[in-house]
Amino acid sequence: MSNRHTYDYIILGSGCAGLSLALRLSESNISFNKVLIIDKEVKTKNDRTWCFWTKEKDKWYTKLTSNSWNNFNFFTETLEYKVNLNPYRYYHLKSKDFYAYCIGKLKADARFDFVTDTINKLVKVNDKVEVVCQSYTYTSQYVFNSAFRNQVIKANHVNYVQHFLGWVIKINEPKFKDFLPTFMDFRVPQQNDCRFCYVIPYSETEALIEYTGFSPVKCEQKEYEEALKNYISTQLFLDNYEIIEKEYGEIPMAESKFINPYGENVINIGTAGGSSKASTGYTFIFIQRQVEELIKRLENKQSPIAAKTSKKKYSFFDTVFLKVLDSKKISGKQLFEILFKYNKAEELLAFLNEESSALTDLKIMNSVPKGIFIPVALKQLIQN
């Protein structure tokens, strides 16, 4: 039996980006015979939590969500703000539900193959790409990559990471009844960085509590655990609880995108393709937009070059945000407090979701400290 297999498309990674693309391919009018999805493991666990806000209510992924809300909370020591999200709605999606739905649909489509294997390297051969795995080598003209991170970020740029540890806790009494999600709670020691907790109620007795940092490097495991214990005790006033699930993650918050050494035949998607918003780390909605753009290009028989996930102005805003954060002239806590305190929630959410008008952009920019932001913005404009 040959150890080389050829496919119309190969998707590396069966996470959010890979499965979203595969599902949209299966539902599209694009003509193909075989698509291969490669991952080092079978996705069945609830290993991720995706939250997002949108005005759309009838998308396929909104129907998979377990909870949604019209409001969420934002806290600092001096601001307690119940944010009315209208016309947006805040959604919570469990990864195990997403995996089960997508994989079930795709396995019912004979055009899709799943392989569990370790990817060793990618090799460009003429107009095709070879995906060299431990067991076999697979070949395609186009490889959509969300898993293989043998890439680099440009040096001398601000390259932060959003790092987090989350616990799903269970309690005996229904204290989470009518409990709103907490978008950001900065009532934790900042450690000269940007640190906050994030809370998503699952039921009256279960909730996800997550400790998150924006910084150049991640924390030690013990620091996350101690911070979570302290937050649950001092802010949620809970001492007796059971940890039933854990999730850990790192999301690049980079001024520049990954450098792709493989040429146009390898299309980076998901976080590898710049879908994680540099200023917040939110990813899910930006993945869906990137996937839709890729599908449109393929349906129009265009080359599926990496679809842009951000307009140029938003990339500029994110870069300025990261450089201001890195300057330490204002803390992340102070900056987010200003943004929520002096802007309409609808306009701020539109801005963070990259859906804002030019007028809204001006309002947001006018709300932040000009003496700090203007020099950084001018320097960035000159460098561009």
Side-chain angles (χ1 to χ4, degrees):
M1 181 178 179
S2 172
N3 68 340
R4 294 179 182 271
H5 304 272
T6 301
Y7 287 83
D8 295 286
Y9 304 114
I10 295 176
I11 298 172
L12 306 184
S14 60
C16 181
L19 290 178
S20 294
L21 177 60
L23 188 68
R24 289 294 292 113
L25 272 172
S26 74
E27 297 171 345
S28 72
N29 296 321
I30 299 164
S31 177
F32 61 89
N33 293 314
K34 278 288 187 180
V35 174
L36 176 65
I37 303 169
I38 307 174
D39 203 308
K40 63 182 179 181
E41 61 184 2
V42 179
K43 293 286 197 300
T44 57
K45 297 179 181 178
N46 196 45
D47 59 353
R48 293 287 185 274
T49 295
W50 295 305
C51 288
F52 57 91
W53 58 93
T54 181
K55 298 175 186 177
E56 303 283 348
K57 297 179 181 179
D58 296 320
K59 292 290 188 179
W60 64 271
Y61 46 81
T62 61
K63 297 175 183 177
L64 300 178
T65 57
S66 55
N67 289 297
S68 66
W69 301 269
N70 288 321
N71 303 275
F72 60 51
N73 291 320
F74 175 87
F75 297 114
T76 66
E77 287 86 354
T78 58
L79 180 65
E80 295 188 7
Y81 185 21
K82 179 180 176 181
V83 183
N84 186 328
L85 307 181
N86 189 54
Y88 288 97
R89 194 164 181 85
Y90 194 63
Y91 290 89
H92 165 243
L93 175 56
K94 293 181 179 180
S95 58
K96 67 178 181 180
D97 296 333
F98 180 86
Y99 298 149
Y101 176 83
C102 293
I103 292 172
K105 287 274 188 179
L106 293 168
K107 285 194 172 181
D109 188 334
R111 297 173 297 172
F112 288 83
D113 288 344
F114 284 82
V115 163
T116 304
D117 207 341
T118 299
I119 305 161
N120 290 330
K121 61 181 178 178
L122 306 181
V123 180
K124 192 174 188 309
V125 180
N126 299 321
D127 64 340
K128 297 187 182 298
V129 179
E130 291 185 350
V131 181
V132 182
C133 297
Q134 283 187 339
S135 303
Y136 294 99
T137 294
Y138 305 94
T139 303
S140 178
Q141 183 178 1
Y142 292 111
V143 172
F144 297 96
N145 169 51
S146 68
F148 194 64
R149 299 286 181 82
N150 187 22
Q151 302 152 322
V152 294
I153 299 176
K154 292 179 182 178
N156 303 318
H157 283 209
V158 178
N159 299 315
Y160 273 33
V161 61
Q162 180 190 130
H163 47 97
F164 54 88
L165 177 67
W167 290 345
V168 176
I169 64 171
K170 185 174 183 179
I171 55 179
N172 293 324
E173 298 179 20
K175 292 187 177 182
F176 297 129
K177 183 178 181 180
D178 302 323
F179 199 88
L180 289 176
T182 297
F183 184 69
M184 287 176 160
D185 190 340
F186 284 99
R187 296 173 299 179
V188 296
Q190 293 299 291
Q191 310 294 351
N192 199 33
D193 273 328
C194 178
R195 306 285 178 95
F196 58 91
C197 280
Y198 173 86
V199 182
I200 297 292
Y202 283 10
S203 69
E204 294 181 353
T205 57
E206 292 183 12
L208 168 67
I209 321 295
E210 199 160 271
Y211 177 72
T212 302
F214 296 171
S215 58
V217 294
K218 64 182 181 179
C219 302
E220 295 293 332
Q221 181 77 14
K222 186 176 180 180
E223 186 174 350
Y224 295 109
E225 293 173 348
E226 290 300 319
L228 280 170
K229 289 177 186 176
N230 186 61
Y231 180 80
I232 292 169
S233 175
T234 61
Q235 300 300 335
L236 301 183
F237 308 106
L238 298 173
D239 293 314
N240 297 314
Y241 54 88
E242 177 188 0
I243 302 170
I244 58 175
E245 285 183 5
K246 295 182 180 181
E247 66 174 39
Y248 172 80
E250 299 176 37
I251 301 172
M253 301 175 68
E255 180 185 342
S256 58
K257 293 181 173 58
F258 289 104
I259 298 170
N260 179 3
Y262 304 107
E264 291 189 352
N265 295 82
V266 176
I267 298 94
N268 291 330
I269 59 174
T271 294
S275 290
S276 293
K277 186 167 175 61
S279 59
T280 63
Y282 275 83
T283 305
F284 187 87
I285 281 293
F286 298 102
I287 285 176
Q288 305 312 317
R289 291 177 187 170
Q290 184 185 48
V291 164
E292 288 302 317
E293 182 62 27
L294 284 169
I295 293 297
K296 286 179 184 177
R297 294 187 67 84
L298 290 169
E299 286 180 332
N300 292 329
K301 302 188 185 305
Q302 295 175 298
S303 172
I305 58 174
K308 293 182 179 179
T309 55
S310 294
K311 293 180 181 178
K312 192 172 182 180
K313 69 173 183 177
Y314 293 112
S315 295
F316 173 78
F317 295 150
D318 284 346
T319 295
V320 171
F321 173 88
L322 284 174
K323 289 190 171 181
V324 166
L325 206 62
D326 193 54
S327 74
K328 306 297 184 183
K329 292 181 179 179
I330 184 172
S331 68
K333 177 175 73 172
Q334 291 171 314
L335 181 52
F336 279 105
E337 181 173 4
I338 288 168
L339 289 171
F340 275 95
K341 189 174 182 178
Y342 295 109
N343 293 283
K344 293 180 180 178
E346 176 188 351
E347 293 179 339
L348 180 57
L349 291 175
F351 180 78
L352 295 176
N353 232 28
E354 302 191 358
E355 300 169 336
S356 53
S357 66
L359 179 59
T360 295
D361 297 340
L362 288 172
K363 289 180 180 178
I364 301 291
M365 288 186 285
N366 192 51
S367 71
V368 297
K370 298 174 186 62
I372 297 174
F373 273 79
I374 288 176
V376 175
L378 289 175
K379 185 177 181 180
Q380 185 62 27
L381 284 171
I382 293 169
Q383 289 177 345
N384 286 348

